[in-house]
Amino acid sequence: MIVDDEPANTLLLERLFQLVDLPNCRSTNDSRQAVDLFLEYQPDVVLLDLSMPHLDGFEVMNRLKSVIPVGDYLPILVLTADATERAKQRALSSGANDFLTKPFNTSEVVLRVRNLLETRRLHLQMRRCNENLESIVADRTSELRQALGELKETQQQVIQQERLRALGTMASGVAHDFNNALSIILGFGEFVLQSCRKEPAMSEAAEQMEIVINTAEDAAKIVGRLRSFYSTAKDLSERPVDLKALVKQAVAITEPRWKTQPRGKGIEITVHMALDETPPIWGHAHELREVLTNLIFNAVDAMPEGGTLTFRSGVEDRAVFVSITDSGTGMTEDVRRQCLEPFFTTKGEQGSGLGLAMVYGIVQRHQGELDIQTGVGQGTTFVIRFPAQTSDDEHACEDSPAGVERPLQILVVEDQDVIREIVVEHIGSDLHTIATAADAEEALSKLQSTPFDLVVTDQAMPGMSGDQLSAVIKRDYPGTRVILLTGFGNYGNEFENVPTFDLVLGKPISKEAFRTGIARVMATPPARARHGALADPVLA
């Protein structure tokens, strides 16, 4: 762009640049039009006279500064007849990049313009590189932030799982002692109930004893749920479960909580069910029902003014899912991250902080996934996904035999006298021949002299544990079947590396459960001793 009040000068420069292959020129003889022409033309170099009417060159440079982007480099070459040192210094200090006096040498003008254009080109190239670099840095920063977010989320999951694992370890010892105590209550309760039923005058006592037995069984389930916070083992009572039917059952069971009680306070909660047919899942119906019940209670608490509770089920990505959505208060991000942790609650003294932690433990044990979608004032959706049942699972859940064909020779190994007496009473009523041992050493001594069909052994015993005893029996008496009794409430996970027994039964156990377990064991081939399971156990 050329700004000069003399038309002859602008015409000379335009023709000069055309001759040297720089034809892309625009010029003006009115300095007042310089800024408008600059904005329209966006030149790469400006040739500027100093002495002009209306606006001199210094004022033009001053106005150009206001429209040139910050950080941009626009070279200005001053062409003037004022050859004084003062004019040169003032021009360079006002923003000019080069200075030539009139009359000028045309070759020098061309060289200086080319140098300024090359500098301009390099500046633009550097700016593009910087922009690309900034874009790359922004992308990398975004990726790092995303990775950091994922890392924090993973850390939270690990911390949560470790807390559940610690709670499960602590609960394991508690469960063992409680289950042993409940075994005694349940065992003798069944004995007393049988006696009461034989006497018509004891009918009231029989009813009371039934309450005692039912309460003991419920307590055993509570202890099992406490132990199951982190357990991922499958026990033999798992069956195919219809998730759609389970949702309907949970809604019906909890109707007093979401319908009757709120209506008594003038609050209306509407339940909507959009349940598609789903294949069965493998699990415990009562535990999964407890998951749904807990989530319904939680949803009701989140809708103090009423609202809508929506249930959905279906199949997505080869997984069976069920979702529970409330239109309640929702959760903050901090609460969402912590709500599955044991003892975390936002309900103060009204909440124990174990409901959602129990839900999470049960879902994990069923090989499921739990996703929480929520926001403050946006309600909450719990989505649970389970693997669908396979054909192998269907084969595994076939009904067990109801009984055995002949009386058996059975050895009962239990270090607690009372529990040993209960086990003998349970299985002796079916005309089996029963021998007893107080520890593994006595049991091995009796095995040397008597061919037993079945050994029922406690797990936690002094000297040699039940699974160690089982390993010896399978090695030395391979035809003998072994049932392992445990009060730890874990049916397989703790012994998965040494499965040398035929069945694990958890305490407390009823007479019917014992009878079913014996029938199942005797109807299948005996388990084999596994290589390296226990070569030479040593008695303490």
Side-chain angles (χ1 to χ4, degrees), residues 138-280:
D139 291 342
R140 294 295 182 268
T141 302
S142 176
E143 292 174 359
L144 289 174
R145 286 176 179 169
Q146 181 178 355
L148 181 60
E150 293 174 354
L151 177 61
K152 289 182 178 179
E153 185 71 22
T154 302
Q155 288 175 335
Q156 289 297 324
Q157 292 177 1
V158 171
I159 291 172
Q160 178 176 302
Q161 289 178 357
E162 287 304 315
R163 287 174 177 170
L164 291 175
R165 191 191 302 274
L167 182 60
T169 301
M170 178 188 70
S172 177
V174 175
H176 176 266
D177 294 340
F178 267 91
N179 284 334
N180 278 335
L182 290 171
S183 295
I184 297 173
I185 296 172
L186 185 61
F188 281 108
E190 289 185 343
F191 300 159
V192 174
L193 179 61
Q194 291 176 2
S195 300
C196 291
R197 284 174 174 170
K198 295 177 182 179
E199 299 291 337
M202 299 293 289
S203 59
E204 184 177 353
E207 292 177 359
Q208 294 172 346
M209 189 53 59
E210 285 179 355
I211 295 174
V212 171
I213 293 173
N214 291 335
T215 303
E217 291 175 344
D218 290 342
K221 293 178 181 178
I222 293 172
V223 173
R225 291 196 296 270
L226 177 65
R227 174 63 178 85
S228 68
F229 262 129
Y230 190 77
S231 171
T232 58
K234 286 186 175 182
D235 83 40
L236 296 173
S237 64
E238 289 183 332
R239 291 292 184 269
V241 178
D242 183 349
L243 200 57
K244 179 179 178 180
L246 209 64
V247 171
K248 292 182 177 180
Q249 292 171 12
V251 171
I253 291 171
T254 58
E255 184 172 316
R257 183 69 180 274
W258 61 262
K259 183 177 181 180
T260 308
Q261 294 179 9
R263 280 188 177 177
K265 302 176 183 178
I267 299 171
E268 189 71 25
I269 294 179
T270 304
V271 170
H272 176 67
M273 288 189 282
L275 305 175
D276 294 337
E277 295 295 335
T278 62

Side-chain angles (χ1 to χ4, degrees), residues 518-539:
I518 292 174
R520 176 181 295 168
V521 166
M522 298 310 299
T524 56
R528 296 181 179 180
R530 296 187 62 175
H531 176 70
L534 185 62
D536 293 300
V538 179
L539 289 170

Side-chain angles (χ1 to χ4, degrees), residues 316-384:
E316 189 177 79
D317 295 332
R318 299 183 180 180
V320 177
F321 78 89
V322 60
S323 68
I324 301 176
T325 302
D326 66 68
S327 59
T329 55
M331 293 182 275
T332 65
E333 181 60 22
D334 287 341
V335 173
R336 187 195 69 82
R337 286 198 303 265
Q338 300 179 69
C339 66
L340 300 180
E341 296 178 3
F343 309 116
F344 176 83
T345 179
T346 59
K347 303 176 185 178
E349 295 181 356
Q350 297 180 355
S352 65
L354 292 177
L356 289 181
M358 188 78 74
V359 166
Y360 182 65
I362 293 174
V363 170
Q364 275 202 322
R365 191 168 57 258
H366 284 76
Q367 311 301 319
E369 297 178 355
L370 179 61
D371 182 33
I372 305 174
Q373 303 163 5
T374 186
V376 177
Q378 301 176 8
T380 301
T381 298
F382 286 86
V383 183
I384 310 173

Side-chain angles (χ1 to χ4, degrees), residues 286-516:
H286 71 277
E287 287 191 348
L288 296 172
R289 194 181 301 113
E290 182 177 1
V291 166
L292 297 171
T293 300
N294 269 288
L295 293 179
I296 292 172
F297 289 168
N298 220 56
V300 171
D301 290 339
M303 297 186 291
E305 304 299 326
T308 302
L309 191 56
T310 304
F311 297 84
R312 292 183 174 86
S313 68
V315 179
E316 189 177 79
D317 295 332
R318 299 183 180 180
V320 177
F321 78 89
V322 60
S323 68
I324 301 176
T325 302
D326 66 68
S327 59
T329 55
M331 293 182 275
T332 65
E333 181 60 22
D334 287 341
V335 173
R336 187 195 69 82
R337 286 198 303 265
Q338 300 179 69
C339 66
L340 300 180
E341 296 178 3
F343 309 116
F344 176 83
T345 179
T346 59
K347 303 176 185 178
E349 295 181 356
Q350 297 180 355
S352 65
L354 292 177
L356 289 181
M358 188 78 74
V359 166
Y360 182 65
I362 293 174
V363 170
Q364 275 202 322
R365 191 168 57 258
H366 284 76
Q367 311 301 319
E369 297 178 355
L370 179 61
D371 182 33
I372 305 174
Q373 303 163 5
T374 186
V376 177
Q378 301 176 8
T380 301
T381 298
F382 286 86
V383 183
I384 310 173
R385 297 179 179 85
F386 299 102
Q389 177 190 339
T390 65
S391 57
D392 291 339
D393 295 330
E394 293 176 0
H395 179 74
C397 66
E398 294 177 356
D399 291 337
S400 301
V404 293
E405 297 179 352
R406 61 177 178 83
L408 304 174
Q409 289 273 70
I410 301 176
L411 174 61
V412 176
V413 188
E414 170 63 61
D415 61 315
Q416 294 191 41
D417 297 341
V418 176
I419 297 179
R420 186 167 65 247
E421 180 182 345
I422 292 172
V423 173
V424 170
E425 184 67 24
H426 276 334
I427 60 182
S429 59
D430 287 335
L431 303 179
H432 300 304
T433 301
I434 312 297
T436 62
D439 53 37
E441 185 176 10
E442 183 180 355
L444 292 174
S445 176
K446 291 189 175 182
L447 280 163
Q448 292 176 355
S449 57
T450 304
F452 289 100
D453 300 296
L454 173 66
V455 174
V456 179
T457 176
D458 185 27
Q459 162 61 8
M461 298 185 296
M464 182 187 291
S465 64
D467 55 302
Q468 290 175 322
L469 173 61
S470 177
V472 177
I473 294 173
K474 290 299 182 180
R475 182 192 65 190
D476 298 340
Y477 310 96
T480 302
R481 293 167 174 83
V482 179
I483 292 179
L484 190 71
L485 290 178
T486 175
F488 287 103
N490 193 332
Y491 311 116
N493 190 46
E494 294 182 1
F495 314 110
E496 60 184 1
N497 294 325
V498 195
T500 54
F501 36 79
D502 297 271
L503 181 65
V504 180
L505 295 177
K507 300 177 183 178
I509 184 170
S510 66
K511 180 178 180 179
E512 287 304 315
F514 234 134
R515 179 178 292 170
T516 300

